[in-house]
Amino acid sequence: MAFRLLKSLLILPGNVLGTVPAVILWGSAGSAFEWRLATTREIGFWAAVGLACVALALAISTMKLFVRVGEGTPAPWDPPKHLIVEGPYRYVRNPMISGVLFGLAAEALLFHSWPLAAWLGMFFVANNFYFSLVEEKKLLARFGDQYALYKANVPRWLPRLKPWSPR
C-alpha cells in the first residue's frame, strides 16, 4: 500500500504543486511576470505559511482516510473501495483538491507570482469540469444511493458549517 500511495502522490499532487509551478517560475524569469520570493516582513509570506499549513493538514488527513477507510489511493487507477464520509469529507466533497488549491495559493503568494495564480485558477476550473462531468458520475455508478445521498448533503467546494452525518 505504501508504494501505491507514494506513486499516486508523486504523480498527481507532486506534478500539480511541484513540476508545473517550477516550470512556470522558470518560464516567467526575466519577463514582466518575474517572480520574487516574499520575505518574513510581508503579510503575503505569513498568509502563504497559513495556507500551506491548511494544505498540509488536508493532505495528511485525506491520505490517511483513503488508506484506512477507503482502502485505496486518490489515483483514478487505484480508487478507494469504500465511500469516505469521515473527517474533512463531512464538510466538503473534495477536501483533497481543496488542499491542493490552498497549496497553489500559498505558492502564488510566496513567490509573488501572477502566473502561479493563473495556474491556480486553471486548475480549479479544470477540476470543476472534471468532477461534474466525470468523477461524480463514476462515484455514483460505484457507490449508488450512498453517494447520491452524500452528494445531496455535502457541497462540492464550499464547506458546510456543520459536519454532515449519514445517520
Side-chain angles (χ1 to χ4, degrees):
M1 175 55 92
F3 176 73
R4 290 170 36 209
L5 186 59
L6 181 62
K7 179 179 159 186
S8 70
L9 285 173
L10 290 174
I11 292 172
L12 298 171
N15 279 315
V16 172
L17 288 165
T19 306
V20 173
V23 169
I24 289 170
L25 292 174
W26 176 78
S28 65
S31 75
F33 297 105
E34 186 164 22
W35 58 274
R36 175 183 66 79
L37 193 61
T39 68
T40 58
R41 294 181 184 191
E42 298 173 90
I43 189 97
F45 174 87
W46 296 106
V49 169
L51 289 169
C53 288
V54 171
L56 189 59
L58 284 172
I60 291 169
S61 65
T62 54
M63 288 296 168
K64 284 181 179 180
L65 288 168
F66 261 81
V67 172
R68 185 176 51 83
V69 176
E71 297 179 10
T73 72
W77 60 83
D78 189 15
K81 295 171 183 62
H82 309 285
L83 183 64
I84 303 166
V85 292
E86 295 180 25
Y89 288 93
R90 294 177 64 201
Y91 295 90
V92 66
R93 289 198 313 260
N94 299 297
M96 188 173 295
I97 297 299
S98 297
V100 172
L101 293 168
F102 283 122
L104 290 173
E107 290 177 344
L109 286 170
L110 184 65
F111 292 104
H112 289 276
S113 174
W114 284 108
L116 285 183
W119 167 232
L120 161 67
M122 290 186 296
F123 182 76
F124 173 73
V125 168
N127 273 279
N128 199 41
F129 280 111
Y130 174 75
F131 278 99
S132 62
L133 298 174
V134 178
E135 180 78 9
E136 290 176 355
K137 288 180 172 90
K138 287 182 181 179
L139 290 168
L140 189 58
R142 199 159 71 232
F143 299 116
D145 291 341
Q146 185 184 13
Y147 182 73
L149 178 64
Y150 175 69
K151 182 180 173 186
N153 286 284
V154 179
R156 184 184 298 146
W157 299 115
L158 297 175
R160 296 168 51 100
L161 295 177
K162 292 183 177 181
W164 179 72
S165 178
R167 292 163 198 50

